Amino acid sequence: MVMGGIEAVEKRHPEFLYGLENGRRKSKGAKVCYLEGTDGIKVVKQLNIGAKQAKFIGELLTYLNGSGLTPELLRPESGAAYFWFKGGRYFVTRYLPGRPAEYYQLQDLQAAIRSMARLHRLSEDFLAAYPRWRLSLKFEPVQVWQSRLRELEICRERAIRFRQNSWCRQYLRFWYFFWLQALKAVEELRSLPARRPAVICYHDWAFHNLIINNGDAALIDFDYALVDDAVHDRANLIGRYLRLHQWSNEALLKALWNFDRIYPWRAGDLRRLRIYLTFPYEYWILGRQFFLERQPWSEKYFQDQWKRKIADIEGRNQTLELIESLE
């Protein structure tokens, strides 16, 4: 499109978009901006996802409008999934009152589980109405994990080349252990029979993505949503909860029991949960960020991430053993 065309499109946009530079930002450098107007507060988020994912999220949020699970999505007059403004894509939603979730509070964990159950239930209808998304966003864990196994091997080669770095030496010390866990997860999942139809997994149950209001949790960021077995989402939430509670047996049993009370387990779910938790996602992603993406973060940042997400290897192993005993 020629520059004149872009300018013409921008002139048709609501005036509030031109206040982005002066809006109240979520945090320094954040791509989320709050704009106040006569009809309330709008949340404007700049997207760093592709057009296909943005269209999917736009259709999903529109489908979920009124459910209480998500903020109301405001679409352009054209009906597009997002606004195009000054060369970028933006979602615009109504502001949701409430506070971020706090997983130290049991009621917030319970609210998250209730929201997950509703999302999965509603997503079955959404995928039936829009079957193309079931195919285009389907997560194939065996294929994806095999690709990540290869990345682990590349990261090992690069760590050997830079072993003078203390973080690289630490990464190498535990590489074979985590590589074996990844291989075990791939082989065990491949041996399982086919499952029931997949659902939309939110896939990012970080506390700040859940807004708690009157005991219910709304979800505000679907950038990482995918289509997979519901256990994928359960593992994402439970894994975060267990890291927060140092992988304690008490925390695991509390999470399992609350799920069973709110969103009951089905036959075979616990085994799949263990397999999803076995794949060393945090070790893989941290190595990928350091060796492949070469993110410009300090070594202290990587060390802090290691201590927070990876260091408690013994506690994590005990958790996996306990789940296996319950299968």
Side-chain angles (χ1 to χ4, degrees):
M1 182 182 292
V2 297
M3 183 59 68
I6 293 176
E7 291 175 350
V9 171
E10 288 178 351
K11 287 177 181 178
R12 293 200 300 270
H13 285 163
E15 290 184 1
F16 67 79
L17 283 178
Y18 293 93
L20 286 177
E21 290 79 6
N22 300 319
R24 179 166 51 90
R25 303 217 166 248
K26 186 176 182 181
S27 60
K28 185 177 180 180
K31 293 186 177 181
V32 175
C33 186
Y34 301 98
L35 300 177
E36 298 188 35
T38 56
D39 57 345
I41 302 175
K42 297 180 181 68
V43 181
V44 183
K45 177 187 175 184
Q46 186 173 359
L47 305 179
N48 58 359
I49 55 179
K52 184 177 78 171
Q53 184 79 356
K55 184 176 181 181
F56 158 70
I57 296 172
E59 290 188 0
L60 177 62
L61 293 182
T62 299
Y63 186 86
L64 294 174
N65 271 350
S67 68
L69 276 176
T70 57
E72 179 187 356
L73 178 70
L74 304 178
R75 285 178 174 259
E77 291 182 3
S78 66
Y82 49 81
F83 290 89
W84 184 266
F85 182 73
K86 293 189 176 180
R89 298 185 183 94
Y90 292 84
F91 277 149
V92 180
T93 62
R94 300 283 183 192
Y95 174 77
L96 279 178
R99 60 171 176 80
E102 173 54 78
Y103 288 146
Y104 282 115
Q105 299 184 34
L106 180 59
Q107 62 268 29
D108 286 9
L109 172 66
Q110 293 169 339
I113 296 172
R114 287 195 301 272
S115 290
M116 183 187 296
R118 290 195 64 215
L119 173 64
H120 291 177
R121 188 165 56 249
L122 291 171
S123 75
E124 291 177 349
D125 296 334
F126 174 83
L127 291 173
Y130 302 94
R132 68 183 181 278
W133 295 120
R134 185 186 299 277
L135 295 175
S136 63
L137 295 174
K138 183 72 172 70
F139 182 87
E140 300 288 354
V142 170
Q143 296 176 15
V144 173
W145 291 352
Q146 284 178 324
S147 175
R148 292 174 180 177
L149 268 169
R150 290 192 290 272
E151 289 190 353
L152 283 171
E153 293 163 358
I154 296 171
C155 288
R156 177 178 178 271
E157 294 172 359
R158 296 187 178 181
I160 290 173
R161 284 161 46 195
F162 299 102
R163 65 173 63 200
Q164 69 274 15
N165 178 285
S166 61
W167 195 87
C168 292
R169 292 196 299 271
Q170 177 179 257
Y171 179 86
L172 287 170
R173 192 177 309 126
F174 295 97
W175 183 88
Y176 191 63
F177 169 79
F178 283 119
W179 183 85
L180 280 178
Q181 284 205 328
L183 183 63
K184 177 184 178 183
V186 169
E187 292 178 344
E188 193 168 359
L189 190 60
R190 184 189 284 121
S191 70
L192 296 184
R195 289 272 282 191
R196 60 188 179 273
V199 299
I200 293 174
C201 295
Y202 183 55
H203 191 50
D204 192 9
W205 294 89
F207 70 93
H208 54 263
N209 286 336
L210 279 69
I211 302 299
I212 304 295
N213 190 25
N214 295 324
D216 293 322
L219 314 177
I220 61 173
D221 189 346
F222 279 78
D223 286 8
Y224 298 102
L226 49 81
V227 175
D228 194 16
D229 191 298
V231 170
H232 191 147
D233 243 5
R234 294 174 185 252
N236 188 283
L237 176 55
I238 289 175
R240 292 176 184 276
Y241 184 73
L242 292 178
R243 285 197 301 273
L244 188 65
H245 292 274
Q246 292 75 53
W247 297 93
S248 74
N249 288 346
E250 179 184 359
L252 171 64
L253 295 175
K254 184 179 292 185
L256 294 179
W257 183 83
N258 276 281
F259 258 104
D260 202 42
R261 189 167 65 89
I262 299 169
Y263 187 9
W265 300 98
R266 301 183 185 182
D269 276 356
L270 288 184
R271 185 178 183 189
R272 288 179 184 269
L273 173 70
R274 174 178 56 80
I275 294 171
Y276 272 84
L277 290 175
T278 295
F279 189 90
Y281 176 83
E282 300 298 345
Y283 180 82
W284 162 76
I285 191 64
L286 205 58
R288 190 181 205 287
Q289 291 167 341
F290 189 93
F291 296 109
L292 304 183
E293 299 175 6
R294 299 186 179 182
Q295 294 289 350
W297 305 325
S298 68
E299 185 172 339
K300 181 180 183 303
Y301 169 85
F302 283 98
Q303 288 287 7
D304 289 345
Q305 291 296 302
W306 182 284
K307 291 177 183 177
R308 188 165 69 89
K309 297 180 177 180
I310 301 173
D312 193 2
I313 295 173
E314 183 178 351
R316 180 172 173 271
N317 283 344
Q318 290 176 351
T319 291
L320 296 175
E321 290 172 0
L322 179 54
I323 296 174
E324 187 170 14
S325 73
L326 298 172
E327 294 173 17

